[in-house]
Amino acid sequence: MEELGSLLHLDALFRTEMLLSLVRVGVLLLIALPLLTVSTKWIRSYASKKLSSQQGMVLSKMIYYGGMVIILFAVLGEFGFKLSHLLGAAGIIGIGVGFASQTSASNIISGFFLMAEKPFEVDDIITVQGTTGVVLSIDMLSVKLRTFDNKYIRIPNETLIKSEMTNITRFPVRRVDVPVGVAYKEDIGKVREILLDVAQKNPLCLIDPQPMVIFNGFGSSSLDMTLLAWAAKADWLNLKNSIYEQIKVRFDEEGIEIPFPHVSLYAGSVTDPMPVRMVDKG
Amino acid sequence: MVLTDTGIWGVKKLVEHDVVQSTIGGLRLYFRKVGGEVLVASGYRNPKDGAFLPAPEDTAKWSRWVSRGDNSVVDIQPTFPDRSLVVKPDMPFRLVRGAQTKIYVSVPVWVVVAVDGARANRLLAVPTEVLSNTWFGTLREGELCYWHSSGFRRDASPGSFREDRIICPLRIYNQSSEDFPVEKICLRLENYSLYYDGQQLWSDEVRISYKGPESISQVKVVGKAPDEAPEARLLATPLKEMKKSFAAKTFSSIREFSGLTGQ
């Protein structure tokens, strides 16, 4: 039995100092981890109200990662690991890891540039490479989006730095462009007045900037115009949905024709019938 | 201070299942009391024939409120719109440098409905006139306001205004070095007090010093009943208390908005 105990080094395992260290680490983790989680959430919530969602998120992540590093060093310190030894090993490991994780390092650095440049913030709606969504978070390696059909999209920071990105909600007002085509027989001036009246009567359409009608040209089947109407960004979609319907209703009331695409064939004369010749009687 | 039974304002008694209506300008409110709950519906005057629709029969068009107390009375009180208001004179005018003028702007009143005679039991606020939205500022920043094409009047003779309007006396001083075209004015209604002289609703007088197109105007809210109605009673203090004077962008010119060349 004694040989077994000495073979398994049970005496070392049950040494008082090791037990005490384990207990201390256990207590540290039991207290520190929940405390760190709760305080991170509270800081994020408080900072989001006082500052912005973006700043709240950045602050909470800084505190979370900083707290985790402190806890890690405290735990390692309990087991006798010295910080100077770790830093020495980190230098050698860093070179190896650096070669292996170039992409991750690029994403991390791109993340810092994104935070500094601030092309968008949390809760903004952005479009990147054809994907549109609400920014949920800007993390160390990637940005997370929620699309409007509730999909979760992860975009590496490096992709965002390299690609063209559109921030749809950066400015407080947006314009709705409504293409309208009317029959050639219609009076352009009357159509313009009707479109502007429809826009001004829509409560979501801003009076300033003023709505405007642009005549785009003589299309193949219609006179082409565009109604430009502005709305607060929160009302943009509702304005876009409502104004098309209101234009149609008003055009019907005023007898304005919206033509469908059509082509007229003339055999050299408007009035003569189209000639038809039988090629093969069989 | 609340208005009690003064024509359109004040308390209306509710009887179980009966419909009580109240008309303020172009707005008609309908109230019903059903089993201790208060139901409220609203409608606007038809601009073509000037008539109101009857109380809606579809229950989905009523809003239901369950409040403290027995809800036997509803209290109808006036208030300002919930956003700033941009007004434009029917005929823009130019104020010569160094000159001042006094104008009166009529603001469509909003109606606050409360139960059991206490503003603390406020149910909802309804506009007497549906106002369009407008933007006051640039394409990059500004604020969402209401738009009202009000006649700027130069006099405030009794009977010249409506009971569903709040009259805002504005005194404008041109302290810039050039003539000032008065095209649009943004009234920050949250800083104004509301008064009533028995017939007409008033705000306190607002004094605006225009200092040039690149500067911010100095705005001072006098903080007492206007000279035109010195005996008017205070109904409501400002929603946002400000210092006696503050700097605010109050005027803008039409050329700031191109709509096409946008900033």
Side-chain angles (χ1 to χ4, degrees), chain B residues 12-21 31-39 70-74:
Chain B
K12 309 280 176 194
K13 208 171 173 69
L14 297 182
V15 178
E16 194 79 22
H17 297 292
D18 278 356
V19 176
V20 173
Q21 66 186 35
F31 306 99
R32 285 169 58 196
K33 184 181 169 188
V34 177
E37 294 179 354
V38 175
L39 280 65
D70 66 354
N71 302 323
S72 56
V73 294
V74 285

Side-chain angles (χ1 to χ4, degrees), chain A residues 164-274:
Chain A
E164 181 181 298
M165 183 272 313
T166 304
N167 188 339
I168 295 172
T169 51
R170 177 57 161 252
F171 299 126
V173 291
R174 281 186 67 196
R175 196 177 74 190
V176 174
D177 294 351
V178 184
V180 175
V182 295
Y184 269 86
K185 67 180 177 65
E186 305 300 346
D187 179 346
I188 296 174
K190 183 184 171 191
V191 172
R192 187 192 301 273
E193 274 178 23
I194 290 170
L195 288 174
L196 289 175
D197 191 54
V198 167
Q200 281 168 355
K201 282 186 173 141
N202 188 316
L204 298 176
C205 177
L206 299 176
I207 301 297
D208 271 329
Q210 286 185 4
M212 185 182 289
V213 174
I214 296 178
F215 184 72
N216 296 121
F218 302 100
S220 55
S221 306
S222 59
L223 298 171
D224 297 330
M225 300 182 195
T226 305
L227 169 65
L228 312 176
W230 291 83
K233 61 181 177 185
D235 296 331
W236 184 85
L237 190 60
N238 287 335
L239 175 64
K240 185 171 180 169
N241 280 337
S242 61
I243 205 160
Y244 276 97
E245 192 177 329
Q246 287 166 355
I247 289 171
K248 176 67 170 68
V249 166
R250 187 66 182 274
F251 275 8
D252 290 344
E253 286 172 5
E254 303 279 350
I256 306 282
E257 180 189 340
I258 301 175
F260 52 88
H262 58 274
V263 176
S264 299
L265 294 175
Y266 297 99
S269 167
V270 175
T271 54
D272 287 348
M274 180 72 74

Side-chain angles (χ1 to χ4, degrees), chain A:
Chain A
M1 192 58 156
E2 280 182 6
E3 289 85 5
L4 181 65
S6 113
L7 186 66
L8 295 175
H9 301 290
L10 289 176
D11 57 340
L13 186 61
F14 289 109
R15 263 196 321 209
T16 311
E17 293 86 4
M18 182 60 74
L19 263 175
L20 281 174
S21 292
L22 281 170
V23 169
R24 276 200 291 268
V25 165
V27 169
L28 176 71
L29 291 174
L30 269 174
I31 295 172
L33 284 177
L35 194 64
L36 182 64
T37 306
V38 167
S39 54
T40 302
K41 281 185 183 166
W42 180 84
I43 282 169
R44 181 169 186 167
S45 166
Y46 181 78
S48 296
K49 285 178 198 162
K50 291 290 179 189
L51 306 169
S52 69
S53 303
Q54 167 79 7
Q55 287 164 322
M57 183 208 73
V58 170
L59 204 58
S60 69
K61 282 190 185 295
M62 280 171 59
I63 287 166
Y64 179 75
Y65 289 123
M68 288 300 279
V69 168
I70 292 170
I71 291 171
L72 179 67
F73 283 144
V75 168
L76 290 175
E78 279 298 325
F79 288 118
F81 289 98
K82 289 193 180 167
L83 189 61
S84 54
H85 297 161
L86 277 175
L87 289 175
I92 297 166
I93 295 169
I95 293 170
V97 169
F99 279 109
S101 62
Q102 288 178 53
T103 305
S104 298
S106 171
N107 280 322
I108 291 171
I109 292 170
S110 298
F112 287 128
F113 281 117
L114 282 175
M115 285 193 209
E117 198 181 274
K118 280 198 196 172
F120 54 85
E121 292 184 344
V122 172
D123 294 334
D124 275 343
I125 299 174
I126 64 172
T127 300
V128 182
Q129 294 183 339
T131 299
T132 301
V134 180
V135 176
L136 295 174
S137 64
I138 304 171
D139 298 323
M140 273 173 51
L141 295 174
S142 62
V143 167
K144 315 301 193 294
L145 300 184
R146 182 185 68 81
T147 63
F148 291 120
D149 55 352
N150 237 21
K151 288 193 292 222
Y152 181 82
I153 308 278
R154 179 186 175 277
I155 304 178
N157 290 338
E158 193 185 6
T159 304
L160 278 161
I161 287 286
K162 286 182 185 173
S163 313
E164 181 181 298
M165 183 272 313
T166 304
N167 188 339
I168 295 172
T169 51
R170 177 57 161 252
F171 299 126
V173 291
R174 281 186 67 196
R175 196 177 74 190
V176 174
D177 294 351
V178 184
V180 175
V182 295
Y184 269 86
K185 67 180 177 65
E186 305 300 346
D187 179 346
I188 296 174
K190 183 184 171 191
V191 172
R192 187 192 301 273
E193 274 178 23
I194 290 170
L195 288 174
L196 289 175
D197 191 54
V198 167
Q200 281 168 355
K201 282 186 173 141
N202 188 316
L204 298 176
C205 177
L206 299 176
I207 301 297
D208 271 329
Q210 286 185 4
M212 185 182 289
V213 174
I214 296 178
F215 184 72
N216 296 121
F218 302 100
S220 55
S221 306
S222 59
L223 298 171
D224 297 330
M225 300 182 195
T226 305
L227 169 65
L228 312 176
W230 291 83
K233 61 181 177 185
D235 296 331
W236 184 85
L237 190 60
N238 287 335
L239 175 64
K240 185 171 180 169
N241 280 337
S242 61
I243 205 160
Y244 276 97
E245 192 177 329
Q246 287 166 355
I247 289 171
K248 176 67 170 68
V249 166
R250 187 66 182 274
F251 275 8
D252 290 344
E253 286 172 5
E254 303 279 350
I256 306 282
E257 180 189 340
I258 301 175
F260 52 88
H262 58 274
V263 176
S264 299
L265 294 175
Y266 297 99
S269 167
V270 175
T271 54
D272 287 348
M274 180 72 74
V276 175
R277 184 166 62 92
M278 295 296 290
V279 177
D280 184 0
K281 288 184 184 178

Side-chain angles (χ1 to χ4, degrees), chain A residues 171-173 175 200 203-209 212 214 228 230 232 235, chain B residues 130-135 139-142 144 147 184 254 257-260:
Chain A
F171 299 126
V173 291
R175 196 177 74 190
Q200 281 168 355
L204 298 176
C205 177
L206 299 176
I207 301 297
D208 271 329
M212 185 182 289
I214 296 178
L228 312 176
W230 291 83
D235 296 331
Chain B
V130 176
L131 299 173
S132 293
N133 289 343
T134 191
W135 189 252
L139 293 175
R140 295 176 69 172
E141 59 181 14
L144 187 64
W147 168 266
K184 282 183 293 186
I254 290 173
F257 298 113
S258 68
L260 276 179

Side-chain angles (χ1 to χ4, degrees), chain B:
Chain B
M1 166 69 66
V2 293
L3 293 172
T4 53
D5 281 329
T6 49
I8 59 174
W9 307 113
V11 169
K12 309 280 176 194
K13 208 171 173 69
L14 297 182
V15 178
E16 194 79 22
H17 297 292
D18 278 356
V19 176
V20 173
Q21 66 186 35
S22 180
T23 304
I24 307 103
L27 168 73
R28 179 164 286 174
L29 292 168
Y30 304 95
F31 306 99
R32 285 169 58 196
K33 184 181 169 188
V34 177
E37 294 179 354
V38 175
L39 280 65
V40 184
S42 62
Y44 292 94
R45 195 190 302 272
N46 189 324
K48 290 180 183 167
D49 58 13
F52 288 103
L53 291 175
E57 293 182 2
D58 183 3
T59 51
K61 294 188 179 173
W62 292 79
S63 55
R64 283 171 67 182
W65 301 88
V66 179
S67 178
R68 297 170 287 196
D70 66 354
N71 302 323
S72 56
V73 294
V74 285
D75 193 8
I76 300 170
Q77 296 291 329
T79 189
F80 283 107
D82 62 350
R83 279 189 224 148
S84 298
L85 185 74
V86 174
V87 291
K88 182 181 171 184
D90 292 340
M91 194 188 310
F93 61 92
R94 300 181 79 88
L95 191 60
V96 175
R97 62 178 179 176
Q100 61 163 296
T101 184
K102 189 167 187 178
I103 55 177
Y104 301 89
V105 178
S106 77
V107 175
V109 72
W110 276 44
V111 176
V112 171
V113 177
V115 289
D116 291 338
R119 270 193 183 242
N121 295 334
R122 169 179 163 146
L123 301 184
L124 71 164
V126 188
T128 56
E129 183 178 327
V130 176
L131 299 173
S132 293
N133 289 343
T134 191
W135 189 252
F136 189 76
T138 67
L139 293 175
R140 295 176 69 172
E141 59 181 14
E143 62 179 295
L144 187 64
C145 301
Y146 289 121
W147 168 266
H148 185 52
S149 54
S150 156
F152 282 13
R153 295 201 185 189
R154 301 298 300 275
D155 71 280
S157 50
S160 60
F161 294 107
R162 289 155 45 176
E163 57 185 0
D164 62 331
R165 294 280 194 261
I166 304 170
I167 307 307
C168 298
L170 300 182
R171 196 180 288 274
I172 306 173
Y173 304 85
N174 183 1
Q175 294 180 345
S176 69
S177 57
E178 53 196 40
D179 293 347
F180 168 42
V182 181
E183 294 165 340
K184 282 183 293 186
I185 300 178
C186 180
L187 304 180
R188 300 186 189 281
L189 302 173
E190 62 200 6
N191 301 128
Y192 301 176
S193 302
L194 185 61
Y195 298 89
Y196 186 64
D197 65 5
Q199 286 181 313
Q200 182 61 56
L201 292 163
W202 295 87
S203 77
D204 28 18
E205 180 175 303
V206 179
R207 295 176 184 162
I208 307 170
S209 301
Y210 173 72
K211 296 180 186 294
E214 302 304 322
S215 303
I216 295 181
S217 305
Q218 202 70 21
V219 180
K220 183 179 175 184
V221 181
V222 170
K224 60 183 176 74
D227 296 336
E228 295 78 6
E231 304 299 320
R233 293 174 292 161
L234 175 68
L235 289 187
T237 52
L239 288 172
K240 273 192 188 174
E241 285 289 349
M242 297 290 291
K243 293 178 186 173
K244 288 204 170 161
S245 77
F246 58 96
K249 196 94 171 77
T250 304
F251 302 102
S252 74
S253 68
I254 290 173
R255 68 172 179 269
E256 280 183 16
F257 298 113
S258 68
L260 276 179
T261 58
Q263 298 163 351

